[in-house]
Amino acid sequence: EEFGSPRTMMSRVPLSSLVSASIDLAERAGRLIREVVASGNLQTVDKGIDDPQTIADIRSQRLIVSSMIKSWPGLQVIGEEELHGDVAQYAVDPRMDLVKNHQFPPHLEALSTADIVTWVDPLDGTKEFTLGRYEAVTTLIGITHEGSPVAGVIHQPFYQGTGRTIWGVVGVGTFGLDRRELSPDRNIVVTTSSHPTPRLEKALNLLRPDEVVRIGGAGHKALFILEGHADSYLFPSFGTKKWDVAAADAIFRAVGGTVTDIYGNPFLYTKDVEKENNHGLLMTLRNHDKVVAALSSLDSLCKGRL
């Protein structure tokens, strides 16, 4: 759902302030998510087939969206969940000083709210959340400028009990990652644990990996790549949305990685863009073009292009 005021409310936003607010709000959302678990009542409903929603999803998004719009009334925010009623009552004043010791490029410190879209997945990995697989749960906030990712925040609410936050800005760097070097001798692919399809299995056969790791949560899988546990994250079908990948896309760019559809096309993140990633998803830190080339015969094998 889209939130924010008309363009008549346009103002200037320092990216450093927006990133700081995103870190603070993601961590506050993480506390809300843990509180829901502690209450013992997730209040789960089904939005569609294999698409659950809990009260934690709603509370997390209410907090993040209302607080961002309170801070910058002209900001365009697109979140996964539909919210009903007046959400302004849930707004807080997020911290603006969490990244003050980092040098941001001058051209990113006076962005027009008309050119920014903030993409929010308040609780990525809801299915895993309902099953008690808390390691797969993340809160994702991706900041895009003129359609391109510039900053991303990934918060893991249950990491070592109290959570951790990973963030990155293109041209500034990435922070919070526990990176290790990928082995040059092994090819490991991470993919979905909950949406296996014949197309996915054919794609995996084309890549001929040494190992396939099947885990839940788009943010969780992105971190799996970013921290050096696998070479690529592959999902060769529709099913992911822009809010699933915007945060990771920015962090990947900040470390020299690549996020595209399976044909090698980068994602566009303008306000009116199609929210569904209709041509699949591929994330890598290296050899991206080689993986795209290896997948080039997938459509003929599956008798049709995505």
Side-chain angles (χ1 to χ4, degrees):
E1 186 177 357
E2 297 179 14
F3 306 89
S5 301
R7 287 175 179 250
T8 53
M9 298 286 290
M10 201 167 39
S11 61
R12 294 283 169 182
V13 179
L15 182 63
S16 57
S17 297
L18 184 52
V19 170
S20 175
S22 298
I23 293 169
D24 187 33
L25 291 171
E27 292 177 349
R28 289 174 185 251
R31 290 194 286 274
L32 287 179
I33 292 167
R34 291 194 299 272
E35 286 170 5
V36 169
V37 170
S39 76
N41 183 8
L42 304 187
Q43 300 181 45
T44 307
V45 297
D46 286 318
K47 294 189 293 183
I49 298 173
D50 212 21
D51 189 15
Q53 179 194 68
T54 72
I55 192 63
D57 297 75
I58 296 170
R59 289 179 181 170
S60 174
Q61 182 161 307
R62 281 190 315 211
L63 169 74
I64 295 169
V65 170
S66 63
S67 302
M68 285 190 163
I69 292 173
K70 179 185 177 184
S71 301
W72 298 283
L75 191 67
Q76 302 168 94
V77 184
I78 299 178
E80 177 175 5
E81 310 301 339
E82 289 188 22
L83 300 180
H84 303 284
D86 179 17
V87 298
Q89 61 183 304
Y90 303 104
V92 299
D93 294 316
R95 290 186 60 178
M96 302 289 182
D97 61 347
L98 293 177
V99 299
K100 64 182 181 181
N101 294 328
H102 299 278
Q103 190 69 39
F104 279 59
H107 72 279
L108 295 179
E109 287 297 81
L111 305 179
S112 168
T113 52
D115 297 326
I116 301 172
V117 181
T118 302
W119 300 82
V120 177
D121 191 337
L123 197 163
D124 181 59
T126 302
K127 182 176 181 181
E128 286 70 26
F129 181 61
T130 63
L131 296 173
R133 299 171 188 162
Y134 300 132
E135 74 283 352
V137 173
T138 56
T139 294
L140 308 174
I141 303 177
I143 302 165
T144 62
H145 179 246
E146 295 180 341
S148 295
V150 292
V153 173
I154 301 177
H155 178 66
Q156 291 181 292
F158 298 97
Y159 186 82
Q160 293 184 356
T162 56
R164 69 164 176 166
T165 302
I166 292 89
W167 63 277
V169 180
V170 178
V172 177
T174 59
F175 307 89
L177 286 169
D178 183 16
R179 298 186 67 185
R180 71 177 192 182
E181 288 300 314
L182 282 167
S183 168
D185 303 319
R186 285 177 61 76
N187 176 23
I188 302 172
V189 177
V190 63
T191 190
T192 179
S193 61
S194 55
H195 299 91
T197 64
R199 183 181 178 89
L200 171 59
E201 300 312 312
K202 289 176 181 177
L204 291 171
N205 288 338
L206 289 173
L207 297 185
R208 300 173 64 187
D210 297 298
E211 183 181 353
V212 177
V213 179
R214 300 175 192 263
I215 56 178
H220 184 212
K221 289 190 276 287
L223 288 176
F224 208 75
I225 305 297
L226 287 163
E227 297 201 313
H229 299 292
D231 298 85
S232 55
Y233 166 18
L234 171 68
F235 190 71
S237 306
F238 60 85
T240 65
K241 310 286 199 309
K242 295 296 184 295
W243 47 73
D244 293 316
V245 299
D249 199 339
I251 297 172
F252 268 74
R253 290 183 187 217
V255 296
T258 310
V259 176
T260 68
D261 66 20
I262 64 167
Y263 304 112
N265 303 306
F267 295 114
L268 182 67
Y269 297 94
T270 52
K271 178 175 179 287
D272 299 319
V273 76
E274 169 64 48
K275 308 306 185 289
E276 187 100 30
N277 298 325
N278 288 316
H279 301 296
L281 172 63
L282 177 65
M283 297 186 184
T284 67
L285 290 182
R286 64 184 185 187
N287 300 325
H288 196 87
D289 291 343
K290 288 183 179 179
V291 179
V292 171
L295 294 170
S296 61
S297 61
L298 179 62
D299 288 342
S300 60
L301 288 174
C302 296
K303 297 182 173 58
R305 182 181 170 92
L306 273 178

